[in-house]
Amino acid sequence: MQQQNQIFRFMSFKEFVPDGIRFWIYMLFLACFQFSNGMYFTAMSQMEGSLSITPNDVKMMSHAMLIGLTMYFPVAFRLKFRFTNRTCLIAAALMLIGCNLIVPYVHSTPVLVLLCFIAGFARLFGTFECLSSVLPKVAPTHNYAVFLSFVFFIVLGVVHVFDIASTHIIYFYNWRYVHILAIGLLLVVILCAYMLMRPFRPMPKMPLYGVDWLGMVLWSTFILSLIFVVQYGNQLNWLDSAYIRAALGAATLALAFSLWRLFNIRHPFLEVDAFKTKNLLNLLVIFLLMGILLATKTVLQNTFTGAILHFDTLNTASLKWFEFFGMALGAVFSWFTLSRLQWHKKLVTFIGMSCIVLYTVMMYFLMSPDTNIEKLYLPLVCCGFGQVVIFITLTVYAQATAQFRNYFQVICILGFIRTGIASPIGDAIYSRAMSGVLSKNLALLGENAVEATHALPLQYTLQELYGYSVILGVIALIAIAASRFKKHIGMPVPTFVRMYRLNWLRHYRFLHLK
């Protein structure tokens, strides 16, 4: 392996660039792309006042950026083999510069959502070009357990570091300075790519003919409409709102046209074989459960640290260092267990989910005004560890089971849940549950609530919701463990599909006998 690493050279650079720094130049580009978004969630409170938007608007823009990122996967290799390495990097940087220039001065929410979608697409455009170029260096044998451990540590871990940096910039200066810094970093990418790299294409030029761009628009419309319904449902009173009904109608039509094209055109954006990947439904369910459990960190934990512990912005941002440390441990653990020890992927998934459940258990017992910041370090390390382990393990499993031509399409489908609808569903569930449980606790405490201040019923509410999360996490762990050892169980494990068929058969027999 070491000999292969010594032989490999990055051919996209000009000859005067030393071989020893070529890899690190790509790492610099990668860091710049990871810092550059269309919307910075850390600036949410400042943007609400400056642009006259609501927290739901900011979250919708953040989800649009993630969906734009997801929609790049099916066309990743087509764009890489159509344009040269230097052209891809410069084009992605220019797109992100345009988004960062426009976003701070736009007051239309639909336009901001569209710009964030484009920014997400451009961000992965540049990120994929960097990662695909360093793949032979990081994993010469194309061991995806090694490569994906590196990828998710960079993508998820480094983002946390830049969130901390952007929080400090926003706290001491203005939120628009983050966009200025992003533009400066992207200009560095363009300058270095133009001066240090030469036009290089790893494969013969492949035209973009046959790419289903309409299919991309339809699938994007479908998932963004669903996110809109979940994100704004509580604010707009669900089906009483014409906007929610229109979004549901748009999602239904987009899904119908997408499915029609799936079976009737030669090269659809997502092919039928991608949906036939082994255990795809199980992967989607696990990502959904993980997204719901991780929503406790964004909804319940933020409420706890803000309303009960009264942490300021910088103290809250400092907690991300421990998430970053947990993610680094998770990446090393996944690499060692999947690549070196060859552990079964379900076992590693069980360990990752156990760490997320352990986070909810520890937070359940920490719901107190007397909790100091040091007590939150270990739960956050466990949360970051479990998140990265599950991301890496399930992505490695998808790579092992999907056909190569459909692998990035499967990643896109998983992204519908992983970076798409799972987080809004979790946020909506906990936000709705928190308002209902808080009202119940206020009614139960009665006059004592006035004497004990509003923090006491809120504390009980957060603790109760964390308790429900623990129950959900334990159920998920039991399901994963049962699927791992189902060959040792006499009766078949009741999966969702099997239970649905069984109930349908019983209903059919009942109607027939009646």
Side-chain angles (χ1 to χ4, degrees), residues 147-357:
F147 181 64
L148 290 174
S149 299
F150 169 80
V151 168
F152 281 105
F153 168 69
I154 295 295
V155 173
L156 295 177
V158 176
V159 166
H160 277 68
V161 176
F162 284 126
D163 282 346
I164 298 171
S166 63
T167 300
H168 282 75
I169 293 172
I170 294 165
Y171 184 83
F172 291 106
Y173 301 101
N174 186 281
W175 65 273
R176 288 186 172 88
Y177 280 74
V178 181
H179 292 269
I180 296 174
L181 177 59
I183 292 171
L185 293 174
L186 293 168
L187 289 175
V188 171
V189 172
I190 294 175
L191 181 63
C192 292
Y194 184 79
M195 296 183 63
L196 303 180
M197 304 180 74
R198 62 186 179 87
F200 175 78
R201 189 183 294 107
M203 297 284 288
K205 184 176 180 179
M206 179 183 296
L208 294 178
Y209 176 78
V211 176
D212 185 16
W213 299 109
L214 178 59
M216 175 190 288
V217 173
L218 290 173
W219 283 111
S220 301
T221 303
F222 165 66
I223 193 66
L224 286 174
S225 298
L226 290 183
I227 293 175
F228 176 87
V229 171
V230 177
Q231 190 66 56
Y232 289 91
N234 194 37
Q235 177 182 334
L236 299 177
N237 202 16
W238 298 101
L239 291 178
D240 291 339
S241 171
Y243 293 106
I244 298 296
R245 295 195 298 269
L248 286 174
T252 303
L253 290 175
L255 178 61
F257 280 115
S258 298
L259 294 177
W260 181 87
R261 294 173 63 83
L262 184 70
F263 294 100
N264 290 277
I265 69 173
R266 185 175 180 181
H267 297 293
F269 185 71
L270 299 175
E271 298 180 355
V272 177
D273 291 339
F275 290 93
K276 294 180 179 179
T277 301
K278 182 181 178 182
N279 289 327
L280 178 62
L281 179 61
N282 294 336
L283 297 180
L284 293 173
V285 171
I286 293 175
F287 275 127
L288 178 61
L289 291 174
M290 184 188 71
I292 293 175
L293 290 175
L294 289 177
T296 59
K297 183 166 63 70
T298 57
V299 179
L300 304 185
Q301 179 187 306
N302 288 345
T303 303
F304 175 59
T305 56
I308 295 180
L309 300 182
H310 303 292
F311 287 175
D312 61 8
T313 304
L314 297 183
N315 279 323
T316 303
S318 67
L319 295 175
K320 289 184 176 292
W321 283 114
F322 297 90
E323 289 185 63
F324 172 77
F325 180 68
M327 289 178 175
L329 291 178
V332 174
F333 175 82
S334 301
W335 161 75
F336 189 70
T337 54
L338 294 175
S339 178
R340 300 291 183 177
L341 300 181
Q342 299 292 321
W343 283 9
H344 198 284
K345 297 178 182 62
K346 287 184 180 178
L347 175 60
V348 182
T349 303
F350 182 86
I351 294 174
M353 186 64 75
S354 298
C355 289
I356 295 179
V357 176

